[in-house]
Every structure is written in structure tokens, then in C-alpha cells.
Amino acid sequence: MKTFHFIKSETMTRDLPLKHNSEKTYQGVVERFSFKAASLVGNVANEDVSRHIIVYLPQTYADNPQREYPIVYMLHGMDSDQRSWFASAPNNPGIEHIMNRLVGSGEIEEMIIVAVDGTTSILGSWYLNSPISGNFFDYLTQDVIEETESRYRAKKGKRAICGHSMGGFGALNAIMMRPDLYQACAALSPGGMMMRDHRYQEHAGFFSHQFDLFAKGEECEWFIHAYLTVLRVIAPDSDNPPTYITRDINEAMLALEQFNLSATARDKAPLLNTQRKETLPIYTEIGTDEGESVREPIIDNFRKMVSTFNELDIPVTSHIFEGGHVDKVGEQTVRGLRFIDAALRK
């Protein structure tokens, strides 16, 4: 049932540019900055309000002080962080290398890439507003945009969002909740458990036991952290630490059954279809070897989610590739950026 994976990355050091244009070939510059996120202040779980953002700037950025660039916000997955986009591995060369190659070869236009910090003490925020963990959706759609675009020259009307795993969920959720903010979306291997409804009430005993293990500080299944994060959004209880979710397991399971991307699409379809149907291109993809979630094949969940989008007349381009959840993240990132570039050129 383990459905979420992550990419380890190196430890972050001081707030200075990480790379400079020292080669003759095309090479952008990677910088970072930190700021205090207003939307996270005062959260019950005491999650860190200081957020650390990494930014890839085009090679021409410093020499063209009047030029503005398209901007893409990248959302990392569960038990990962913003640095994972820049970590080099055999199947993931790091997004700065991907951008240097794609832009240098003329395949895509120059863009600003922003790696968003979506970390929490229980392995991820799912980029959702929670009365327990803090308002991470507002942080993503307000704080990060305002802070980043006050520092860098982002081109108006050329903003996109892209994510992998938990970040893929976050990207799809963001464009449905705030279609006014973005002009393109790429959701790569969006979290398998959050694509469509599942019969969680049938597994209430299992979840109750796992939540008890977590509360006692004992080892629980790794993916339970994902469910706790989501339940702190949809079934919170500030008087029930350390889980901070409702004590009523049936209430919790019912809430899980009603909260997923397909349900959000059904709720937000009228808004999407009237406001942004023709101007908000959506891309999503999944690998053939994803495994199962809640005893159901994730690839089937994906197909059903895409089918729901199509039935609701929400245009979505989908793709199924040979591979698993993390073994081809580099190739996935290339496809996502190519899709976004084509969308933003229109």
C-alpha cells in the first residue's frame, strides 16, 4: 500500500547563488532566498513559518534588466523538499541541467523556475490549508507568489505550476481552486490515494491502529503521515495531539472518502468551464509500475480521474509511461516543462 516516494538531496548551505554562468554552453543561475510566510504564522502544530525557496534564473536574466520571463512554480513530493528538484541522480539530472539543455538547444524558451518549500514535521503539507499545520494553500498561492514576483521579473499572464507526487496533487488542486492565477499546469504522478474516492470505511480498523501507533511514538506505516496530513485539513481536532485529528475514526474515514481530486473537479467544474476552459491547459501523467493504493491499482485510479475530468468537460492531456513513481522523474520533468512552454507561448 506504500504509494509515496521521495528523492534524497544534499544539505542546504548559506543563502548565496549556488551556480554561476562559468561555462561557454548555456547555463542559468540558481539562487535562493528565505522569508517568513504570513499564512503559516500561529499554526497549532508549530510548523516552521520560515520558508526556503530555490530559484533558477535564465542565463540572460542579469544582462537584461528590463526583460520579463515566464515563471513556473515547482512543487516537491512527500518526504522530500525543494532541493530535490536540483539533486542529480542517474535518472534525474537536476532541473537546472534540464533547463540548460532544453533552453540551450532551443527546445523551450527561457523561464524562471521556482522550487517551493512544502515541508512539514510529518513529511509534507499537501499544499492545503489546515487549522492545525497552517494555511499552506494560501502560502502557495499568495505568500510565495507575492514574495517571489516582488524579487524577480515575472511576465504577467505567463505563470504555470508543476509538481510531482504530493506536488502533482498540489498543482491540480491549485488550478481548480484558483484558476485565475495560472496559465498552465503539469501534474506528474499525482498522489495515487488522492485521485478518486476509495472505500476507506472498510479499512477503519487498520487506520485506527496505525494512528494509535503514531500517537504513542511507535513505528507506523510510512504512508500514514500522508493521511494524517490530509485529515488535519478535513477532520482536525486541535485538542487531540499529537495526531490532531478527530477521535471518531468513522468520521475520519468518511471525510477521506469525500476528499480527492475527482471530487474537487466535480465541485469546481462550473468555475473552470466558465472562466478558464480554453486558457488553462492541464497535463498529467502516470507510470505503469505505480503499484496499489487502498488495494486498488494506482494506474486505474489515474484513468478514472482523467475520465472524470473529461466527463466534466475539463480539458486535460494525459500520458502513461513505462516506469514507476520515481525512477524517471527527469524524463517526466522534461515532458512537463515542454508542455508548459508550449502552453505559455500561445
Side-chain angles (χ1 to χ4, degrees), residues 16-22 27-31 86 96-97 100:
L16 290 172
L18 304 179
K19 292 182 182 294
H20 296 276
N21 181 25
S22 59
Q27 187 170 346
V29 176
V30 180
E31 299 182 345
F86 296 85
E96 77 272 34
H97 302 300
N100 288 342

Side-chain angles (χ1 to χ4, degrees), residues 268-342:
K268 296 299 180 180
L271 175 65
L272 285 166
N273 289 336
T274 57
Q275 290 190 6
R276 298 296 305 281
K277 177 180 177 181
E278 302 302 328
T279 57
L280 183 51
I282 302 170
Y283 174 79
T284 187
E285 67 173 38
I286 203 77
T288 55
D289 302 327
E290 278 276 351
E292 294 185 343
S293 175
V294 201
R295 298 182 180 175
E296 296 178 344
I298 290 177
I299 195 168
D300 289 349
N301 295 337
F302 178 80
R303 289 190 176 107
K304 290 175 181 177
M305 180 188 71
V306 171
S307 177
T308 297
F309 273 68
N310 290 333
E311 291 169 4
L312 294 169
D313 202 22
I314 300 173
V316 57
T317 299
S318 63
H319 173 62
I320 296 176
F321 64 92
E322 293 290 331
H325 195 66
V326 297
D327 56 317
K328 295 184 177 179
V329 174
E331 294 177 15
Q332 291 187 266
T333 303
V334 169
R335 287 191 291 269
L337 290 173
R338 282 174 172 160
F339 179 87
I340 287 172
D341 174 70

Side-chain angles (χ1 to χ4, degrees), residues 70-307:
I71 190 165
V72 184
Y73 291 90
M74 306 292 295
L75 312 185
H76 64 79
M78 190 87 177
D79 202 7
S80 185
D81 59 39
Q82 66 280 13
R83 295 169 297 176
S84 65
W85 291 110
F86 296 85
S88 293
N91 294 311
N92 179 22
I95 198 166
E96 77 272 34
H97 302 300
I98 291 172
M99 285 297 296
N100 288 342
R101 176 170 62 83
L102 293 178
V103 175
S105 66
E107 293 182 63
I108 68 173
E109 293 185 333
E110 291 184 304
M111 296 185 287
I112 298 172
I113 303 294
V114 182
V116 179
D117 176 2
T119 59
T120 69
S121 60
I122 54 173
L123 311 185
S125 63
W126 287 81
Y127 308 97
L128 295 168
N129 282 350
S130 166
I132 305 300
S133 302
N135 292 327
F136 274 89
F137 181 78
D138 293 343
Y139 152 76
L140 170 66
T141 58
Q142 297 175 27
D143 302 351
V144 172
I145 290 176
E146 291 173 3
E147 190 71 27
T148 303
E149 296 182 19
S150 69
R151 293 170 179 261
Y152 299 100
R153 301 189 304 274
K155 192 171 185 179
K156 186 177 180 180
K158 299 292 182 181
R159 182 190 297 135
I161 189 166
C162 176
H164 179 266
S165 191
M166 177 184 79
F169 164 86
L172 283 174
N173 184 65
I175 59 98
M176 288 190 286
M177 300 296 292
R178 289 297 307 271
D180 56 306
L181 289 179
Y182 307 99
Q183 286 72 51
C185 169
L188 313 175
S189 301
M193 67 159 194
M194 295 302 297
M195 294 181 192
R196 55 176 291 272
D197 60 298
H198 297 282
R199 296 171 181 167
Y200 283 107
Q201 293 180 81
E202 296 180 1
H203 308 284
F206 167 79
F207 279 97
S208 180
H209 175 63
Q210 291 295 315
F211 294 155
D212 284 345
L213 291 176
F214 177 89
K216 295 175 183 177
E218 299 178 13
E219 185 176 354
C220 61
E221 294 287 350
W222 183 79
F223 57 82
I224 288 300
H225 294 84
Y227 285 104
L228 284 173
T229 301
V230 173
L231 285 169
R232 287 183 178 185
V233 174
I234 60 179
D237 185 348
S238 59
D239 295 323
N240 187 31
T243 63
Y244 289 110
I245 67 171
T246 178
R247 293 176 172 84
D248 188 334
I249 191 62
N250 291 320
E251 178 185 348
M253 296 299 100
L254 180 60
L256 283 175
E257 290 184 0
Q258 298 173 340
F259 186 79
N260 53 73
L261 290 168
S262 294
T264 301
R266 286 190 288 269
D267 181 51
K268 296 299 180 180
L271 175 65
L272 285 166
N273 289 336
T274 57
Q275 290 190 6
R276 298 296 305 281
K277 177 180 177 181
E278 302 302 328
T279 57
L280 183 51
I282 302 170
Y283 174 79
T284 187
E285 67 173 38
I286 203 77
T288 55
D289 302 327
E290 278 276 351
E292 294 185 343
S293 175
V294 201
R295 298 182 180 175
E296 296 178 344
I298 290 177
I299 195 168
D300 289 349
N301 295 337
F302 178 80
R303 289 190 176 107
K304 290 175 181 177
M305 180 188 71
V306 171
S307 177

